[in-house]
Amino acid sequence: MKKKLSTANRTFDVIVVGGGLAGLSSAIHLSKANLSVLVIEKNSFPKHKVCGEYISNEVLPYLDFLDIDVFKLGAKKIDKFQLSTTKSKLISTALPLGGFGISRFCLDNALAKRGLQSGAEILQDSVEDIQFSNDVFSVVTKSDKQFEAKIVIGAYGKRSNLDIKLKRQFIKSKSPYLAVKTHVKGSFPEDVVALHNFEGGYCGVSKVENDSINLCYITNFNSFKTYKDIDEFQQKVLYKNTFLKDIFTNSSPVFKEPLTISQISFDSKKPIENHIIMCGDTAALIHPLSGNGMSMAIRSAQIASTLIINYFNSENLDRETLEKKYLRAWNTAFKLRLKTGHIIADLFNQPKLSEVLMQGLKWFPGILPYIIKRTHGKVMKAE
């Protein structure tokens, strides 16, 4: 996708570092309010990313506000959920709110195009440093470009060298998780999102546009590295779950090679760092077992954008108040979701306990929809 950037313009109202779901949603929202916005993204569009690619329907009104129709893009409507244990015990339930499946390749590209149409500028480059002085941000890129802005949004993903520069606390801890994603062609219901556990991890399965099946799993790197490659790991570990074995062995790959990311951290992060407003995975990463990180990214963009617009439009709203309001709104929206996600992941990381829990869920089927609701939010307002 062709980018545009005015070489003469070096000052913006808002600079967004990262062009994923949160960053691009913010760029569209802010541009619609006539703020000047620059998005700096290291990758070109479109691009596949390691992601579960299931999104709760809670975001649909907001995406409509951003002029994004996911179903015109080919998204699959999902209203059923399946969960299996390492010993292939399965439980199914209806999704309380429902959701849809769409690839990041498709959705990010649509958001980027809409961002340009809205007036945002997009630069393909990497941010090397962000400095804050005299109430203004200075942003320096790898290609030695320098920009200034009143507000900076950090939406650059799970982990970056920027986190080291900003001396963020979580970056000092070990990050032992690895994630693998691929698309395949095969038989799988398009109205189902499944989460299949295996020893040391879990795999999400759902259909996306073009009738492809997204397979995305996360595992402990120490478990993974004992095998010579991804194929051997899948055959000797994932295939012990009969549902995963059936999907992997009865499908054909779309990608030449699976995509991988490592050093994934679920440690707590601060939504505000060095006065930068963090959104999406840059602010917090929910365990994929909860299956709703994409919705959280989009919701965080709406929270940040609404407050930033108020900041620019109000003479009485200073930076300190803006940051306090964002932190309060962020905690209200996500703190419980994150806590629930951690608890669920901890429980299912214990195979024997997870088998007992599954039996309990079969005896009391109303518990699973209740848990799902605790990792999902309310329907967003279209603004």
Side-chain angles (χ1 to χ4, degrees):
M1 188 184 68
K2 194 173 180 179
K3 316 295 188 300
K4 67 172 185 176
L5 182 69
S6 171
T7 54
N9 191 9
R10 288 290 182 268
T11 303
F12 295 84
D13 293 322
V14 182
I15 293 176
V16 181
V17 183
L21 295 178
L24 292 169
S25 296
S26 295
I28 299 169
H29 192 158
L30 296 168
S31 296
K32 285 168 69 78
N34 297 317
L35 295 178
S36 59
V37 181
L38 170 65
V39 179
I40 305 176
E41 163 58 37
K42 64 181 179 180
N43 296 309
S44 60
F45 296 99
K47 181 179 173 61
H48 283 289
K49 294 181 180 179
V50 178
C51 182
E53 300 185 335
Y54 158 80
I55 311 183
S56 165
N57 280 341
E58 68 193 76
V59 305
L60 287 176
Y62 183 58
L63 288 178
D64 183 60
F65 167 76
L66 300 179
D67 301 313
I68 298 291
D69 187 333
V70 293
F71 299 111
K72 283 186 177 179
L73 296 173
K76 301 295 185 181
K77 294 181 180 180
I78 296 172
D79 56 16
K80 298 179 182 66
F81 174 65
Q82 293 180 345
L83 175 69
S84 73
T85 64
T86 55
K87 293 186 177 180
S88 307
K89 289 184 179 178
L90 184 72
I91 187 169
S92 302
T93 189
L95 282 170
L97 187 60
F100 55 94
I102 189 169
S103 74
R104 295 293 300 278
F105 183 92
C106 177
L107 183 54
D108 286 18
N109 193 51
L111 287 166
K113 288 180 178 179
R114 185 70 194 106
L116 291 174
Q117 293 168 356
S118 298
E121 300 193 35
I122 299 178
L123 172 67
Q124 187 181 342
D125 204 343
S126 296
V127 172
E128 293 282 286
D129 196 17
I130 304 172
Q131 296 291 330
F132 180 76
S133 180
N134 298 320
D135 207 36
V136 174
F137 287 97
S138 176
V139 178
V140 180
T141 71
K142 189 175 182 179
S143 62
D144 291 326
K145 292 184 173 68
Q146 185 167 332
F147 305 94
E148 290 187 347
K150 192 72 173 177
I151 299 290
V152 168
I153 294 174
Y156 48 81
K158 300 172 180 66
R159 189 182 186 92
S160 166
N161 288 335
L162 264 180
D163 294 315
I164 299 172
K165 284 265 190 179
L166 295 171
K167 298 179 180 179
R168 301 185 77 190
Q169 192 64 34
F170 85 93
I171 205 74
K172 300 175 184 177
S173 303
K174 290 184 179 180
S175 306
Y177 295 101
L178 168 82
V180 179
K181 167 193 158 175
T182 190
H183 281 182
V184 300
K185 293 288 187 179
S187 178
F188 188 80
E190 65 178 41
D191 60 348
V192 171
V193 59
L195 197 60
H196 297 303
N197 285 264
F198 56 87
E199 188 174 346
Y202 32 85
C203 180
V205 187
S206 59
K207 273 200 170 178
V208 295
E209 76 284 351
N210 298 325
D211 216 32
S212 293
I213 304 168
N214 179 53
L215 300 171
C216 188
Y217 62 86
I218 188 166
T219 185
N220 189 295
F221 183 73
N222 289 331
S223 301
F224 179 83
K225 69 180 182 181
T226 60
Y227 300 90
K228 66 179 182 180
D229 55 27
I230 289 175
D231 284 340
E232 184 184 27
F233 176 76
Q234 290 176 176
Q235 290 175 24
K236 292 187 175 180
V237 180
L238 270 71
Y239 288 11
K240 288 181 180 179
N241 184 313
T242 57
F243 297 104
L244 288 175
K245 182 179 180 180
D246 180 64
I247 294 168
F248 275 90
T249 58
N250 292 300
S251 60
S252 57
V254 175
F255 296 170
K256 289 184 178 180
E257 297 289 340
L259 305 178
T260 62
I261 55 171
S262 59
Q263 295 185 300
I264 299 172
S265 173
F266 296 106
D267 287 355
S268 297
K269 301 176 183 179
K270 293 181 180 179
I272 301 281
E273 296 267 13
N274 295 24
H275 302 288
I276 302 168
I277 296 174
M278 304 297 187
C279 291
D281 288 345
T282 314
L285 186 61
I286 192 168
H287 279 270
L289 195 62
S290 303
N292 205 28
M294 294 173 74
S295 300
M296 286 178 58
I298 294 169
R299 174 70 176 125
S300 67
Q302 185 195 43
I303 293 170
S305 299
T306 301
L307 290 171
I308 290 168
I309 291 167
N310 290 340
Y311 168 79
F312 277 100
N313 290 340
S314 173
E315 295 180 359
N316 300 320
L317 185 60
D318 58 16
R319 186 180 300 278
E320 182 180 1
T321 305
L322 166 65
E323 293 176 6
K324 286 181 178 178
K325 283 179 175 288
Y326 179 69
L327 184 59
R328 191 181 305 120
W330 192 96
N331 282 329
T332 299
F334 304 125
K335 197 169 184 178
L336 181 59
R337 293 199 208 188
L338 291 166
K339 184 178 180 180
T340 304
H342 276 282
I343 293 171
I344 294 170
D346 288 343
L347 292 174
F348 275 91
N349 279 334
Q350 304 175 58
K352 290 183 179 179
L353 181 57
S354 68
E355 296 295 329
V356 174
L357 289 171
M358 283 290 285
Q359 190 60 51
L361 291 174
K362 286 189 175 183
W363 287 340
F364 303 99
I367 294 177
L368 187 54
Y370 172 75
I371 294 172
I372 294 170
K373 286 180 181 179
R374 286 178 67 90
T375 60
H376 292 58
K378 296 179 180 179
V379 176
M380 295 168 64
K381 294 181 180 179
E383 59 183 25

